[in-house]
Amino acid sequence: MLSEAQRDLIISIIEEAPDLTIATLRADGWPQANVVSFASDGLALYFGGNAKSQKAENIARDDRVSVALTCPYDDDWDTIRGLSIGGRARRVTDADELAKVGALMMKKFPQIAKFVAFGAEMDMAIFRIDAELISLLDYTKGFGHVELLTV
């Protein structure tokens, strides 16, 4: 179980990270990694994409995903902080949750407004990732410091 301090640190890393890499499993068993922009609500991660994309098909078949993200840092490796998350992804279909995610996305990415019509044309889908395991990388506690946490 996460302590309050661990949860707060994880959320601060999520909020600082500009993008994340998500790995899904293709039908042939090979992992597929994609960089996506995302928004968050606590530990819940949200991203959008084409509902007919390979990534969406992979999630529909097998909802297990891995996510990696890092905070921006300069040349000082003593400040590196990041997360590797194992969890489950699902397409968001609830209207209230979709509205909440839309507001989160607009707040983080105001430039998205000019792509809204494009998103409707391409059959846009929103996905939510719920963490089950988190590897917390925090070099401020020493080079290579990692904590494996269960959510």
Side-chain angles (χ1 to χ4, degrees):
M1 195 58 135
L2 296 177
S3 71
E4 187 174 335
Q6 289 168 325
R7 180 179 292 280
D8 290 347
L9 177 57
I10 290 166
I11 290 171
S12 74
I13 292 170
I14 289 170
E15 289 175 349
E16 278 187 58
D19 294 304
L20 63 79
T21 300
I22 180 171
T24 59
L25 292 170
R26 295 177 0 163
D28 60 9
W30 284 96
Q32 174 180 326
N34 298 91
V35 176
V36 296
S37 296
F38 74 100
S40 62
D41 183 20
L43 296 177
L45 306 176
Y46 295 96
F47 69 94
N50 189 317
K52 294 176 177 67
S53 69
Q54 182 67 55
K55 177 174 51 232
E57 289 178 14
N58 294 347
I59 290 169
R61 188 183 49 266
D62 187 337
D63 66 351
R64 294 174 299 162
V65 299
S66 286
V67 171
L69 53 88
T70 58
C71 295
Y73 64 93
D74 294 321
D75 293 333
D76 184 2
W77 283 8
D78 292 338
T79 63
I80 293 174
R81 295 181 310 141
L83 304 171
S84 175
I85 299 171
R88 306 272 176 176
R90 66 169 174 82
R91 185 170 179 176
V92 177
T93 56
D94 177 76
D96 291 338
E97 188 174 12
L98 284 168
K100 178 180 76 172
V101 174
L104 290 169
M105 291 281 193
M106 289 296 291
K107 182 178 179 184
K108 187 172 180 181
F109 307 107
Q111 68 273 24
I112 204 169
K114 67 181 179 182
F115 297 106
V116 170
F118 177 72
E121 291 172 14
M122 68 176 242
D123 192 14
M124 177 68 89
I126 301 294
F127 296 90
R128 175 183 172 142
I129 300 167
D130 293 304
E132 294 182 10
L133 296 169
I134 298 176
S135 292
L136 170 61
L137 181 70
D138 187 358
Y139 282 22
T140 66
K141 296 180 180 176
F143 185 77
H145 179 85
V146 177
E147 298 172 41
L148 182 59
L149 307 166
T150 304
V151 180

